[in-house]
Amino acid sequence: MGIVVLTMKASVIEMFLVLLVTGIHSNKEMTKKIKRPKFTVPQINCDVKAGKIINPEFIVKCPAGCQDPKYHVYGTGIYASYSSVCGAAVHSGVLDNSGGKILVQKVAGQSGYKGSFSNGVQSLSLPRWRESFIVSESKPQKGVTYPSTLTYSSSKNPDAKAGETTKAYQRPSAPGTTAQPVTLMQILAMPAAEVTHATLPKPFPFATSATSSPRPQPVGHGSWEMGEMDLWKPGPVLLDAGFIPKEELSTQSSEPVSQGDPNCKVDLSFLIDGSSGIGKRRFQIQKQFLADIAQALDIGPAGPLMGVVQYGDNPATQFNLKTHMNSRDLKTAIEKITQRGGLSNVGRAISFVTKTFFSKANGNRGGAPNVAVVMVDGWPTDKVEEASRLARESGINIFFITVEAAAENEKQYVTEPNFANKAVCRTNGFYSFNVQSWLGLSKTMQPLVKRVCDTDRLACSKTCLNSADIGFVIDGSSSVGTGNFRMVLQFVANISKAFEISDTDTRIGAVQYTYEQRLEFGFDKYSTKPDILNAIKRVGYWSGGTSTGAAIHYALEQLFKKSKPNKRKLMILITDGRSYDDVRIPAMAAHQKGVITYAIGVAWAAQDELEIIATHPAREHSFFVDEFDNLHKSVPRIIQNICTEFNAQPRN
């Protein structure tokens, strides 16, 4: 019996020990769980701005679709806090459009933010902003505790994801008290006498232990001091809670106005299709496309400016280049455009833009390239070739977007086959887009913006090298001689090489004279540089007297009379002696007709005659060399003077 009792006691002791050990392990596990709570990554929407979140450093999860241009981003690498957090993450390349987790760190405000196009997102430029942030991969740093719940600057946060817990920022309460969050609206609603008696969180002294983490300070406000027993006052707590003083509300709550992207300084006209055939639904898609373009371009006085012309039977300006100076106002104006109806007279619209749109009165800046983007549903009902040629010769870079072009069985109805290639600045594919369906139009936005802003490739912009009719008047008298005449022709070729030659760019013509005159080739004879250079080589030496006055008169009648009205007219005359006839009256006629005359004298040329022939001021338009061997030395200076004079004039 005693043995049985001892055995039972031993069993009880053993069970007790097992329970004790189990309890110890359970307590350890509970302790571990308490010490290491599971971190939950907060989720935010694409439109949440960094400035709305008070936390100085945090990890968040972004949804898919934040590449959309409606989520504004300001800056490159370092972003203004007015930017969409997730939009900036896509722009920086940390995320793609499918979303994911990111680490966000607040940094100081910058004096300027530069916009750029990266990873499918067009960020905007901004002169300055009070706070910035950077984004990186969501790799937690050792020793840093990241919040599972974000702290917003307002208790009612429309940007927060549905179901997400948010809170108004408040000071920690004193030990032993339970503080309730107090919002700005609640405080403002209280009578002044009741504010100090409200149940509010008491301020906590700023003194912190070495292990405590620093609390974020509102931008633009210094720290404040108070005694332990001081009564709470609403002013400092509002500042400390991240609220913005009344005098700052207007500047912080409204969207900053950009000065525009300086890397895309173009004057842009959109010619939109308002014909009856496009229908209301497709017209609305076209308007949305324009609004997206306006947002992506970052409109502003230091960057691109944009106007819109709508065409049907007749074109009409909806607004010009100077009407709206930022993307926000421009988008609002686009929304208000109503469809005109009628035919699809694109050629008439291009002529209208050439003659009236790109004028100083309409906001044309002169120093910015002119670009016209023509949108066509199907095909035009009139011809575009001649109107487009005149536009190109006026320095307008024409882009064409053709949506739902004619099918094979519809091509019989097209007024002008291959109309887009006849209209665009160049037929190399850079200036034309063929979109199969209006539903696919949005895919054209990013490549179009990139091309419009690539000013180095806007080949139809007028420059000193692509906008002139240059007529050479060459002395072929006996005193020149065969060998020297070859040097004169080489001089003519050297100048011609410097220019961009085509039927719509610079054109070259030549007259040779002695007592008589001969048209070697006119402006419309050759349209490529190789053909011009070969034609110069083939000019044969004539030999005879020197009637320079008659030669100038002949060049005006036989060469420059056929010059295009929108071309700069340059006459470059080369002679080696004094004229047998009077040069004053012919030279004066040339000047009155707007022909800019350069007089090049060699050896026995009379310098007083050169100054009479040359356009004023003579020192910039007359040149003299003592030998034919030295003619080539004057080529760089002549070209430089031509360009200097051109750049001093309005671009169009």
Side-chain angles (χ1 to χ4, degrees):
M1 186 70 177
I3 296 171
V4 172
V5 171
L6 286 173
T7 304
M8 289 178 65
K9 285 183 178 179
S11 299
V12 170
I13 293 170
E14 187 177 335
M15 288 175 65
F16 175 77
L17 290 173
V18 168
L19 291 171
L20 181 64
V21 171
T22 304
I24 292 170
H25 281 294
S26 298
N27 287 337
K28 284 183 179 180
E29 291 299 321
M30 289 177 67
T31 303
K32 285 181 182 179
K33 289 180 181 178
I34 293 170
K35 288 183 179 179
R36 297 182 182 178
K38 186 178 179 181
F39 171 58
T40 303
V41 177
Q43 296 188 27
I44 60 173
N45 280 344
C46 296
D47 56 357
V48 173
K49 300 180 177 75
K52 289 286 184 181
I53 302 171
I54 291 180
N55 306 80
E57 187 171 340
F58 51 91
I59 294 175
V60 291
K61 185 176 181 181
C62 293
C66 296
Q67 196 179 56
D68 195 306
K70 69 182 180 182
Y71 305 122
H72 301 175
V73 177
Y74 297 87
T76 301
I78 298 178
Y79 302 95
S81 63
Y82 200 80
S83 305
S84 157
V85 173
C86 298
V90 177
H91 181 271
S92 66
V94 175
L95 293 183
D96 57 24
N97 201 35
S98 61
K101 298 176 184 178
I102 57 169
L103 171 63
V104 180
Q105 295 169 296
K106 298 285 188 72
V107 295
Q110 305 291 304
S111 59
Y113 299 84
K114 185 178 180 182
S116 65
F117 183 83
S118 179
N119 300 306
V121 175
Q122 176 67 54
S123 69
L124 310 177
S125 299
L126 193 65
R128 65 185 66 83
W129 197 244
R130 61 189 175 90
E131 184 184 55
S132 309
F133 69 99
I134 57 176
V135 290
S136 57
E137 295 180 4
S138 59
K139 293 181 180 179
Q141 298 181 13
K142 290 184 179 179
V144 179
T145 302
Y146 297 97
S148 295
T149 302
L150 298 177
T151 305
Y152 289 88
S153 60
S154 173
S155 60
K156 292 183 179 180
N157 179 41
D159 297 329
K161 196 175 182 69
E164 180 188 341
T165 303
T166 63
K167 59 183 179 180
Y169 188 75
Q170 61 180 12
R171 264 190 151 329
S173 59
T177 64
T178 303
Q180 298 297 322
V182 180
T183 68
L184 175 61
M185 295 306 295
Q186 290 171 331
I187 293 169
L188 294 178
M190 291 180 185
E194 296 180 14
V195 170
T196 56
H197 301 289
T199 305
L200 298 170
K202 291 187 178 182
F204 208 63
F206 268 99
T208 56
S209 66
T211 58
S212 63
S213 59
R215 186 179 50 75
Q217 294 295 319
V219 176
H221 302 292
S223 63
W224 52 282
E225 298 178 358
M226 61 173 291
E228 289 183 356
M229 301 303 293
D230 283 359
L231 290 175
W232 179 86
K233 293 182 175 62
V237 173
L238 288 179
L239 296 180
D240 190 53
F243 293 115
I244 301 165
K246 184 177 180 181
E247 61 270 17
E248 293 186 23
L249 283 174
S250 61
T251 59
Q252 301 297 345
S253 60
S254 61
E255 184 170 347
V257 178
S258 171
Q259 293 299 303
D261 182 1
N263 297 315
C264 182
K265 190 175 181 180
V266 295
D267 288 344
L268 175 63
S269 170
F270 263 86
L271 283 69
I272 63 172
D273 192 337
S275 63
S276 301
I278 191 174
K280 291 182 178 180
R281 179 170 170 270
R282 286 177 290 183
F283 187 76
Q284 189 61 37
I285 294 173
Q286 184 179 216
K287 283 172 55 178
Q288 184 58 53
F289 177 73
L290 252 64
D292 292 344
I293 289 285
Q295 183 62 55
L297 279 173
D298 188 10
I299 301 296
L305 294 180
M306 177 174 159
V308 173
V309 171
Q310 184 184 172
Y311 66 87
D313 288 335
N314 294 297
T317 300
Q318 300 293 319
F319 42 84
N320 62 32
L321 294 167
K322 65 181 182 181
T323 308
H324 303 293
M325 303 301 286
N326 60 72
S327 296
R328 182 184 60 237
D329 293 347
L330 190 59
K331 288 171 67 178
T332 302
I334 290 169
E335 291 171 3
K336 296 177 181 178
I337 295 175
T338 57
Q339 188 176 356
R340 294 177 61 84
L343 299 174
S344 182
N345 289 331
V346 178
R348 188 175 295 177
I350 294 173
S351 294
F352 174 81
V353 167
T354 304
K355 293 175 182 177
T356 65
F357 187 87
F358 289 110
S359 65
K360 188 175 182 181
N362 285 332
N364 187 31
R365 291 173 288 183
N370 294 160
V371 177
V373 179
V374 183
M375 301 187 67
V376 182
D377 175 48
W379 57 88
T381 53
D382 64 347
K383 293 186 177 182
V384 303
E385 184 173 16
E386 181 62 18
S388 300
R389 183 183 63 80
L390 292 173
R392 294 194 302 272
E393 291 175 357
S394 297
I396 300 173
N397 295 272
I398 298 181
F399 286 77
F400 241 74
I401 301 177
T402 307
V403 188
E404 298 182 8
E408 283 299 322
N409 61 341
E410 295 175 320
K411 288 184 177 179
Q412 58 182 316
Y413 306 114
V414 178
T415 306
E416 188 176 31
N418 202 25
F419 59 86
N421 277 345
K422 294 176 181 178
V424 293
C425 174
R426 295 288 186 274
T427 57
N428 56 8
F430 184 80
Y431 295 89
S432 56
F433 297 87
N434 194 356
V435 184
Q436 298 300 317
S437 166
W438 281 96
L439 297 177
L441 181 61
S442 60
K443 296 178 182 178
T444 309
M445 184 194 72
Q446 291 175 2
L448 177 63
V449 168
K450 188 174 181 180
R451 295 182 195 184
V452 164
C453 291
D454 191 354
T455 54
D456 290 338
R457 293 188 65 182
L458 296 180
C460 287
S461 299
K462 290 175 72 175
T463 70
C464 62
L465 301 178
N466 70 5
S467 58
D469 280 344
I470 303 177
F472 290 94
V473 181
I474 305 167
D475 184 350
S477 61
S478 302
S479 58
V480 174
T482 303
N484 290 335
F485 189 76
R486 291 291 110 193
M487 292 183 190
V488 172
L489 294 182
Q490 186 59 53
F491 168 80
V492 171
N494 288 343
I495 291 180
S496 300
K497 285 178 185 177
F499 291 86
E500 298 171 25
I501 296 171
S502 77
D503 58 342
T504 58
D505 293 315
T506 292
R507 303 187 304 169
I508 305 291
V511 167
Q512 184 181 177
Y513 73 95
T514 57
Y515 285 126
E516 300 177 282
Q517 305 83 33
R518 182 169 73 195
L519 180 65
E520 299 293 351
F521 51 89
F523 293 133
D524 56 356
K525 182 72 173 177
Y526 304 108
S527 59
T528 68
K529 190 176 291 187
D531 287 346
I532 287 292
L533 297 178
N534 286 331
I536 293 169
K537 287 180 182 178
R538 292 195 299 268
V539 173
Y541 177 48
W542 204 357
S543 186
T546 310
S547 294
T548 305
I552 295 172
H553 176 76
Y554 179 87
L556 292 176
E557 292 297 317
Q558 301 300 318
L559 195 57
F560 287 99
K561 208 166 190 178
K562 298 179 182 179
S563 180
K564 294 181 178 180
N566 54 0
K567 294 287 187 182
R568 295 178 73 232
K569 302 172 184 63
L570 302 177
M571 179 190 294
I572 301 177
L573 184 143
I574 309 105
T575 182
D576 78 330
R578 183 175 290 276
S579 177
Y580 292 172
D581 61 354
D582 184 52
V583 298
R584 295 177 184 274
I585 294 176
M588 188 180 299
H591 301 160
Q592 289 174 346
K593 291 180 179 181
V595 178
I596 301 168
T597 308
Y598 286 82
I600 318 299
V602 188
W604 301 280
Q607 293 198 33
D608 59 327
E609 280 189 350
L610 297 178
E611 293 178 1
I612 292 170
I613 295 168
T615 295
H616 180 78
R619 66 179 179 276
E620 295 178 5
H621 297 85
S622 64
F623 298 83
F624 179 83
V625 294
D626 53 359
E627 295 180 358
F628 285 93
D629 288 344
N630 293 327
L631 264 175
H632 70 279
K633 295 180 181 179
S634 61
V635 170
R637 190 180 163 203
I638 292 170
I639 294 170
Q640 180 182 355
N641 285 12
I642 289 172
C643 286
T644 299
E645 187 172 43
F646 172 85
N647 292 331
Q649 303 299 317
R651 192 179 189 106
N652 286 322

